[in-house]
Amino acid sequence: MKCFLIGSDNDLLEKIEVFLKANFFYITVCERFDSYAEAEKMLQKTKPDLAIVDITLDIDQTTGFLKLIKKYATDNLLIFPKDQHIIDIFKQKSVSHLIKPIDYTELRFCINTLYINRSKEIELQKILTRIRNTAPKKRIAIAQEKQIQMIPIQDILYIEADINYCQIYILDKKSMCVSKTLKSFEQQLINNKEFYRIHQSYLINLNYINTIIKTKLPQVLMTNGDILTVSRSKKTEFLRLILE
């Protein structure tokens, strides 16, 4: 966790830095800046996780600087002088803050709260990402010469491989030729249980099987009339899947 300490009270910022390094294992970088101009350059370059700002400089300048902090720092914590006018100004902005003289127990609580909330947010984003990655797709993108078509998964009857190309057979439409391997489509549809690869050349939508012809190597009659052969290696697994 990167932390910036910003303000003109070097004695205070030095004490805070010592306290942070001694009490927070997750703060790995701690830098001090005594001018907004210097801090602004580093904010844009480094984008810290936390900016602690001692409000001792010009208030109008500080107000403008806070917009940069909100843009470039994940979280921020302000330290106010015991001045009711200043306190009233920044309380209206609903920012995390402490009032001088600093109570280090409160400082510890504020930083831990920011860290916990941030950790929860990161964990939530990870969960949402996992859900997005594991949820069955509803459409796939098919790149054509002049456009990218979004094809509903439910409209695909089957996909046939032809070396590095594939022919996609779509419900009530002409087939489409795409310069992608069947393996790539199989990976896109890996979480969609309605699709099954019956052969090195065929990935089919099980919903569009009309009849299974029981020969030495089973054949699948699709609803559009096409007959596809199940490979020897897939025969047992496919029949078990169908008969479950």
Side-chain angles (χ1 to χ4, degrees):
M1 180 176 180
K2 300 187 292 290
C3 178
F4 281 7
L5 304 176
I6 304 165
S8 60
D9 189 339
N10 287 320
D11 183 56
L12 173 63
L13 297 187
E14 184 176 355
K15 289 178 181 177
I16 292 175
E17 181 177 356
V18 171
F19 178 78
L20 296 180
K21 289 181 177 179
N23 291 276
F24 300 95
F25 71 92
Y26 51 80
I27 295 181
T28 56
V29 177
C30 198
E31 297 189 48
R32 281 188 284 148
F33 304 93
D34 58 10
S35 75
Y36 287 161
E38 183 185 5
E40 180 179 340
K41 293 178 183 177
M42 289 304 296
L43 277 168
Q44 295 180 37
K45 182 179 179 180
T46 308
K47 295 182 174 60
D49 302 292
L50 173 64
I52 299 178
V53 186
D54 175 30
I55 308 298
T56 55
L57 304 178
D58 179 80
I59 294 303
D60 291 334
Q61 187 183 11
T62 300
T63 303
F65 183 67
L66 287 180
K67 293 180 180 178
L68 282 173
I69 294 176
K70 289 182 178 180
K71 182 177 180 181
Y72 294 112
T74 303
D75 288 306
N76 57 80
L77 175 63
L78 306 186
I79 300 174
F80 300 153
K82 199 168 185 178
D83 181 310
Q84 195 59 49
H85 175 64
I86 295 175
I87 293 171
D88 290 342
I89 289 174
F90 289 103
K91 273 190 174 180
Q92 293 174 9
K93 301 179 183 296
S94 300
V95 294
S96 299
H97 66 277
L98 294 173
I99 299 173
K100 294 181 183 179
I102 286 181
D103 181 331
Y104 283 87
T105 300
E106 288 187 15
L107 176 59
R108 184 197 301 273
F109 176 79
C110 286
I111 294 177
N112 277 330
T113 299
L114 291 171
Y115 177 74
I116 290 169
N117 289 341
R118 180 60 178 160
S119 298
K120 287 179 179 178
E121 184 179 335
I122 291 172
E123 186 59 32
L124 177 60
Q125 290 303 318
K126 288 181 179 178
I127 292 170
L128 292 175
T129 299
R130 284 198 295 269
I131 291 172
R132 283 194 294 268
N133 290 339
T134 57
K137 287 189 173 186
K138 293 185 178 180
R139 298 193 299 174
I140 58 173
I142 305 298
Q144 299 291 281
E145 185 177 352
K146 296 182 179 180
Q147 60 186 355
I148 297 175
Q149 286 190 253
M150 302 303 296
I151 306 298
I153 298 296
Q154 63 185 21
D155 290 350
I156 298 175
L157 281 77
Y158 70 94
I159 305 173
E160 181 180 11
D162 183 10
I163 309 177
N164 291 325
Y165 289 83
C166 278
Q167 201 75 20
I168 303 176
Y169 294 84
I170 304 168
L171 187 66
D172 299 328
K173 292 183 180 179
K174 292 182 179 179
S175 63
M176 299 174 62
C177 185
V178 185
S179 59
K180 292 179 69 173
T181 64
L182 190 60
K183 182 68 175 178
S184 68
F185 282 111
E186 187 177 21
Q187 290 172 345
Q188 284 189 63
L189 298 169
I190 195 167
N191 295 312
N192 195 313
K193 295 182 179 180
E194 295 179 336
F195 281 81
Y196 183 80
R197 190 165 180 173
I198 62 169
H199 188 279
Q200 185 177 354
S201 299
Y202 303 118
L203 177 64
I204 70 170
N205 187 332
L206 300 175
N207 292 318
Y208 294 109
I209 295 176
N210 193 6
T211 306
I212 297 172
I213 305 168
K214 296 174 67 176
T215 55
K216 187 174 182 180
L217 288 181
Q219 292 182 313
V220 176
L221 173 63
M222 304 299 288
T223 55
N224 68 342
D226 291 349
I227 297 177
L228 314 175
T229 300
V230 180
S231 71
R232 189 181 307 278
S233 62
K234 293 287 188 177
K235 174 182 175 181
T236 301
E237 183 181 71
F238 173 67
L239 292 175
R240 183 169 60 244
L241 175 67
I242 291 298
L243 295 171
E244 281 182 349

